[in-house]
Amino acid sequence: MDQTSYRTLDAGGIREFLAGLPAIATRLGGVPEQWQVHEVSDGNLNNVFLVTGPAGEVCLKQSLPHVRVDPSWKMPLDRTYFEAAWLAAIGPLVGELTTEYLHFDPELYVLVVESLSGHTVLRTALMQGADWPEVAPRIGTFVARACFGTSLLARPFEDVFDARRIFAANQALTRITLDLVFDDPYRDHPRNHWHDPALSPIVQDIRTSAAALLAVENLRRRFLSQPQALLHGDLHTGSIMSTADDTRVIDGEFALYGPIGFDCGMFVGNLVLHFFATPDLAARQAVLRDIASFWHSFHEQFMALWNANDAPPPGTLRPLAYGPAAHVVQQAFMDEVMADTIGFAAIEIIRRLIGYAHTADFDTITDPRLRATCRAGALAFAYYVLDHLADMRTIADFLSCLGENERKGI
Amino acid sequence: MDQTSYRTLDAGGIREFLAGLPAIATRLGGVPEQWQVHEVSDGNLNNVFLVTGPAGEVCLKQSLPHVRVDPSWKMPLDRTYFEAAWLAAIGPLVGELTTEYLHFDPELYVLVVESLSGHTVLRTALMQGADWPEVAPRIGTFVARACFGTSLLARPFEDVFDARRIFAANQALTRITLDLVFDDPYRDHPRNHWHDPALSPIVQDIRTSAAALLAVENLRRRFLSQPQALLHGDLHTGSIMSTADDTRVIDGEFALYGPIGFDCGMFVGNLVLHFFATPDLAARQAVLRDIASFWHSFHEQFMALWNANDAPPPGTLRPLAYGPAAHVVQQAFMDEVMADTIGFAAIEIIRRLIGYAHTADFDTITDPRLRATCRAGALAFAYYVLDHLADMRTIADFLSCLGENERKGI
């Protein structure tokens, strides 16, 4: 990709750039001098701006040649390219569960999408006490549609292999996931950090537990070697913008072909983190409800797409066996996704407590001792799950284990 | 890839082409007019020539825009490109277990490799009664080195993803495997054919057995979704040239990233076919020995590479757990390869008896009734294996089941 004409856009540069795109200029209305450019960069990686004109608003995202929050950590520019490719691939499958794709510039690595108004980052909304029961099932629908529709169940293998070829080049961000999620937390590394000494003995337990480490090895291998579907790749509660009525998955720059349970597990893991970060019992019950309704919705939608008899999916993996036998295949497939979901949820919890990423949810707890207890509870739960993966085969097993903590008031 | 300057080379064109490659011209010696061009096309797909000069000989392979044996079956030219890429990737890993790569021309789709003298196609040698005990273990070594060295166990994931990107484009030949191996035999299709009516009831049994069809579905899914290593992709006894002392794997044009057990299973399946095609009991015992020694050699070499403590492999899948726990991971990995090997062997046997490919081994049996009985025995065995995959977990289970046939004299 040509990087010679790349430059980081400031407000003036953004106005000039968008003025050259007639459809977007029309959407904004008025003249460029009237357009308000407002920086809203929030994630770790990119510059993000809202551009508001008399008639409308767009969101503009530009890759930087380094991690936004750490300029010494160099990074290739192509991550907005992969986000654009992800959005182009899944947009038609998920409809209004993501943002509308408007433009991508391959020299400036600028992606322009629909802006969202009135939406809040889901993590923030949860921290503010929002209780939106429809959000989790919407995410279930999102994962079901995006994953089914990009899998060998729905598409000829040639299409899937072509898509795998595109996203197998998304290596800088896959390397980040690999290091931060699957590696650093399980050894001494300067990127790790945790403030509460109460976590240290649990960290030691995890790092010396053969069962836990074998589970992590297995999940890491599956992450890199089970290209079932096009994943979002970073589906935590910060990658979701929502109101009570409208939910959008954003920030697909980590997209890769991988195991479907990775997306499910990221989402579930972050709900579990919120569970432990909120000592309020009603709020905890709401999280249990959300995890159950997410999985139920995902499962139902995925199976509905698979069994669409009026228009059977034209995927290469068409059934050879019919009747009860076909049900066996589907059950085994979903059991595997469930097992992955639980495992990936556990390692997501671990890395967000002891690795590089900070988990804001716990910041709402002002009492340091209570905060430490809550974090230690989350870490101990994740360790327990990794250590007992073979016993946790259904979402009910997982929720029952989580509910134990709730009843104990940890 | 540019196809504008493509033309099919005849003897004169081959001399002119090689004369333009100084290293190869030197290898051949003399002047182009002295070079003998001898067509030896044998497989279904490409033109193959031996070119002999006063000083040496090379083998030249050119893709045709159609299947060689069926000009109405159109085919992209890039298959020699993938064979060249395969040879470049695995040559350094397997050394003299394949042919030396000399040149690839991306416009003519011509691949030039070392020629082999005195070597016989292994299938032919077996049919002629050759008993070369060292060949099967050499193939085990070949698969172990090629697969380990191209896997995430040996290489950083970035290298593996780059290689997957190359071979995920080898879609025309992957489509052939998918259709001929995993699909056609399990339904009515004009490409299927079998001459012996004795096979028909077994075909019907297979096509109505839920267990067999589910096994095929599972293997097909694994073929497309388990990119463990760079496979040969068509490792039957016709893709091996050998003498008693020197064995080479050739014809890697079907190369793809897939489950290691696919290569193992193709080879084992073709040995089993030879087992059933040779009513001679000593020859059958030799096949049982060869299957055991192939697996033993593969397993031993693969584990030796994995456990090379003096120079630990720099793969992304480095162990997190050590000691006995690491052994658990390795055991589980090899068990999975074993299960795949047995399953893929069974479907290879089936497709070579009732699908498009003809299996020459049985042609040596002159009595039509005996030939039909032998073919039916092979097909019934493969069906039994597919139907009892869960009970066949070791090579000993598989050989014991095969030996039952031997003792019954089928």
Side-chain angles (χ1 to χ4, degrees), chain A residues 127-384:
Chain A
M127 288 166 62
Q128 291 167 348
D131 182 19
W132 295 330
E134 296 309 313
V135 173
R138 278 186 211 120
I139 301 302
T141 300
F142 170 88
V143 176
R145 289 190 192 162
C147 287
F148 185 87
T150 55
S151 77
L152 289 160
L153 298 170
R155 291 167 65 184
F157 94 89
E158 288 90 346
D159 291 358
V160 173
F161 276 35
D162 283 343
R164 284 186 190 165
R165 296 186 72 208
I166 291 171
F167 293 97
N170 194 9
Q171 294 176 4
L173 295 199
T174 300
R175 169 56 73 182
I176 291 180
T177 302
L178 198 53
D179 289 348
L180 298 191
V181 178
F182 293 97
D183 197 353
D184 294 354
Y186 302 98
R187 57 177 178 144
D188 288 328
H189 193 285
R191 280 192 296 238
N192 293 327
H193 57 90
W194 60 93
H195 302 298
D196 304 316
L199 271 59
S200 298
I202 311 172
V203 173
Q204 277 319 104
D205 285 350
I206 293 171
R207 289 183 184 173
T208 53
S209 158
L213 294 176
L214 292 182
V216 176
E217 279 193 51
N218 186 44
L219 291 160
R220 183 183 58 177
R221 187 173 50 77
R222 292 183 64 77
F223 174 68
L224 293 173
S225 307
Q226 302 280 333
Q228 291 175 335
L230 179 59
L231 308 184
H232 178 278
D234 192 31
L235 191 54
H236 59 85
T237 48
S239 296
I240 297 163
M241 304 274 295
S242 197
T243 65
D245 304 318
D246 185 63
T247 301
R248 312 293 187 103
V249 175
I250 62 168
D251 286 353
E253 63 214 343
F254 281 85
L256 81 164
Y257 263 76
I260 296 168
F262 185 78
D263 270 1
C264 297
M266 289 281 121
F267 182 63
V268 169
N270 280 275
L271 290 180
V272 172
L273 285 163
H274 184 68
F275 174 95
F276 282 98
T278 174
D280 177 73
L281 290 186
R284 288 192 162 193
Q285 287 294 348
V287 176
L288 296 177
R289 175 204 67 205
D290 285 348
I291 293 172
S293 66
F294 160 76
W295 179 260
H296 179 74
S297 163
F298 163 74
H299 192 284
E300 188 175 69
Q301 302 282 325
F302 198 94
M303 296 303 287
L305 291 164
W306 204 342
N307 293 319
N309 288 322
D310 48 332
T316 289
L317 296 189
R318 68 173 188 82
L320 295 171
Y322 290 91
H327 181 71
V328 172
V329 169
Q330 295 187 330
Q331 184 68 46
F333 187 95
M334 297 308 274
D335 286 351
E336 194 177 87
V337 176
M338 174 83 270
D340 280 346
T341 297
I342 293 173
F344 288 121
I347 61 162
E348 170 69 357
I349 295 165
I350 291 170
R351 73 101 173 191
R352 284 196 173 266
L353 290 165
I354 66 172
Y356 180 77
H358 176 74
T359 305
D361 304 56
F362 292 93
D363 298 344
T364 56
I365 308 174
T366 49
D367 174 3
R369 284 187 57 197
L370 178 59
R371 194 168 56 229
T373 305
C374 288
R375 282 193 175 125
L379 190 61
F381 171 75
Y383 172 40
Y384 182 88

Side-chain angles (χ1 to χ4, degrees), chain A residues 165 175 183 220 318, chain B residues 158 165 175 183 220 318:
Chain A
R165 296 186 72 208
R175 169 56 73 182
D183 197 353
R220 183 183 58 177
R318 68 173 188 82
Chain B
E158 289 89 346
R165 296 186 72 209
R175 170 54 75 182
D183 198 353
R220 182 183 59 178
R318 68 173 187 84

Side-chain angles (χ1 to χ4, degrees), chain B residues 141-333:
Chain B
T141 300
F142 170 88
V143 176
R145 290 191 191 161
C147 287
F148 186 87
T150 56
S151 78
L152 289 161
L153 299 171
R155 291 168 65 184
F157 95 88
E158 289 89 346
D159 291 359
V160 172
F161 276 36
D162 283 344
R164 285 185 189 165
R165 296 186 72 209
I166 291 171
F167 293 96
N170 193 9
Q171 294 176 4
L173 295 200
T174 300
R175 170 54 75 182
I176 289 179
T177 303
L178 198 54
D179 289 347
L180 298 192
V181 177
F182 293 95
D183 198 353
D184 294 356
Y186 303 97
R187 56 177 178 142
D188 288 328
H189 194 286
R191 279 191 296 238
N192 293 328
H193 56 90
W194 60 91
H195 300 299
D196 303 316
L199 270 60
S200 298
I202 311 171
V203 173
Q204 276 319 105
D205 285 349
I206 293 172
R207 290 185 183 172
T208 52
S209 158
L213 293 176
L214 292 182
V216 175
E217 279 192 50
N218 187 45
L219 290 160
R220 182 183 59 178
R221 187 172 50 77
R222 292 182 64 77
F223 174 69
L224 293 172
S225 306
Q226 301 282 332
Q228 292 174 335
L230 179 58
L231 308 184
H232 178 278
D234 193 30
L235 190 54
H236 59 86
T237 47
S239 295
I240 297 163
M241 304 273 298
S242 198
T243 66
D245 304 317
D246 185 64
T247 301
R248 313 292 189 102
V249 175
I250 62 167
D251 286 354
E253 64 213 343
F254 281 85
L256 82 163
Y257 263 76
I260 297 169
F262 186 78
D263 270 1
C264 298
M266 288 281 121
F267 182 63
V268 169
N270 280 275
L271 290 181
V272 171
L273 284 163
H274 183 69
F275 174 95
F276 282 98
T278 175
D280 176 73
L281 290 187
R284 286 191 165 194
Q285 288 294 348
V287 176
L288 296 178
R289 176 204 67 204
D290 286 348
I291 293 173
S293 66
F294 160 76
W295 178 260
H296 179 73
S297 162
F298 162 75
H299 192 283
E300 189 176 67
Q301 302 283 325
F302 198 93
M303 296 303 287
L305 290 165
W306 204 342
N307 292 320
N309 288 324
D310 48 331
T316 290
L317 297 188
R318 68 173 187 84
L320 297 171
Y322 291 90
H327 180 71
V328 172
V329 169
Q330 295 187 331
Q331 184 68 45
F333 188 95

Side-chain angles (χ1 to χ4, degrees), chain A residues 51-91:
Chain A
V51 184
T52 317
E57 190 175 79
V58 299
C59 175
L60 182 147
K61 188 165 183 175
Q62 183 175 33
S63 300
L64 301 174
H66 52 77
V67 173
R68 188 179 67 85
V69 297
D70 179 359
S72 72
W73 188 343
K74 300 303 172 201
M75 189 73 55
L77 291 163
D78 56 12
R79 50 200 190 272
T80 44
Y81 163 78
F82 292 109
E83 179 166 353
W86 167 79
L87 206 48
I90 63 110

